[in-house]
Amino acid sequence: GQNIDQPTEMTATEGAIVQINCTYQTSGFNGLFWYQQHAGEAPTFLSYNVLDGLEEKGRFSSFLSRSKGYSYLLLKELQMKDSASYLCAVRDEPGNYQLIWGAGTKLIIKP
Amino acid sequence: GAGVSQSPSNKVTEKGKDVELRCDPISGHTALYWYRQSLGQGLEFLIYFQGNSAPDKSGLPSDRFSAERTGGSVSTLTIQRTQQEDSAVYLCASSLWGSSYNEQFFGPGTRLTVL
């Protein structure tokens, strides 16, 4: 079956660094997405990885290891506004518009 | 507008009534998706439209749920004989075939409450 696992909830301190992990077991792989969703709002696109390695975008970085079925989202210099849920999603086949979604990780930032 | 829009933003209905939820995707986007999200949960895929192809309805939870997309643009999700377990936020997203990532752009959602 298709499965994506993320921790349910994480807590971190303002100014610190946090790593949110995502592991996946899918029939195929053609890209992994991270989305941010603030409470009561729609998800917004953060990052996309299709090749192994680290993609950096400002304070946010995303890493992928296809052989391990593993990704993480790294958030640096945490700000209170980073409190949100972070959703991991996988496209399992090329040209497949549908994504397989994880349940999301709720990140709580404390001062 | 530049983004995906949905209406209404909130809908409260009585059990057994029918409801219609509307989605206006980003202009030119060929793919449109409907999801359901219960409080504190991830996204549950419902249905997906791509151009003129037959929609993928594999995620619809029962035959009370249906959706259509007129003219390759606006979509309506209809829930007949609503039940309390249908209460959730219904999210619509669109994407553009051939874009760098085919990432999905989400609308603000419709919060449905069935009393």
Side-chain angles (χ1 to χ4, degrees):
Chain A
Q2 315 273 52
N3 191 53
I4 296 184
D5 291 312
Q6 306 178 234
T8 303
E9 187 174 299
M10 298 181 70
T11 302
T13 304
E14 189 177 16
I17 299 173
V18 71
Q19 177 176 311
I20 302 174
N21 296 325
C22 170
T23 58
Y24 60 90
Q25 301 88 38
T26 55
S27 56
F29 180 83
N30 194 246
L32 184 144
F33 295 81
W34 283 97
Y35 279 77
Q36 180 190 58
Q37 185 177 26
H38 285 102
E41 298 182 11
T44 55
F45 170 75
L46 282 179
S47 68
Y48 174 74
N49 294 70
V50 67
L51 299 176
D52 291 349
L54 188 68
E55 295 281 342
E56 298 187 73
K57 191 184 294 186
R59 293 188 299 113
F60 292 10
S61 303
S62 56
F63 172 84
L64 174 68
S65 169
R66 288 172 295 172
S67 63
K68 296 181 179 179
Y70 168 68
S71 173
Y72 67 73
L73 181 68
L74 191 71
L75 290 74
K76 302 177 184 177
E77 301 169 15
L78 287 170
Q79 302 175 10
M80 298 303 291
K81 67 178 182 179
D82 297 330
S83 292
S85 287
Y86 292 85
L87 306 174
C88 174
V90 170
R91 176 181 294 130
D92 61 350
E93 294 192 18
N96 191 352
Y97 282 81
Q98 295 182 55
L99 301 179
I100 304 158
W101 292 85
T105 298
K106 182 178 181 180
L107 178 63
I108 300 169
I109 309 299
K110 296 185 174 180
Chain B
V4 178
S5 60
Q6 293 185 244
S7 61
S9 55
N10 280 284
K11 177 71 176 178
V12 180
T13 190
E14 294 179 347
K15 177 182 175 181
K17 301 285 189 181
D18 297 351
V19 295
E20 284 190 352
L21 312 180
R22 177 188 168 104
C23 172
D24 281 273
I26 293 173
S27 178
H29 277 193
T30 53
L32 186 148
Y33 318 72
W34 283 99
Y35 294 93
R36 180 167 70 176
Q37 188 174 34
S38 299
L39 187 64
Q41 302 297 311
L43 301 181
E44 176 188 2
F45 166 75
L46 297 177
I47 187 170
Y48 143 66
F49 297 88
Q50 164 53 20
N52 296 321
S53 302
D56 179 346
K57 305 178 182 180
S58 60
L60 294 178
S62 78
D63 59 8
R64 297 186 295 104
F65 288 72
S66 63
E68 62 178 23
R69 188 180 185 190
T70 54
S73 182
V74 172
S75 177
T76 302
L77 177 69
T78 301
I79 309 174
Q80 296 178 309
R81 306 181 302 281
T82 52
Q83 304 294 312
Q84 289 184 332
E85 60 263 29
D86 298 335
S87 296
V89 175
Y90 289 81
L91 291 165
C92 174
S94 68
S95 67
L96 176 62
W97 173 247
S99 62
S100 299
Y101 309 134
N102 281 338
E103 71 268 33
Q104 297 179 22
F105 295 84
F106 285 83
T110 294
R111 181 175 298 278
L112 175 66
T113 303
V114 182
L115 302 177

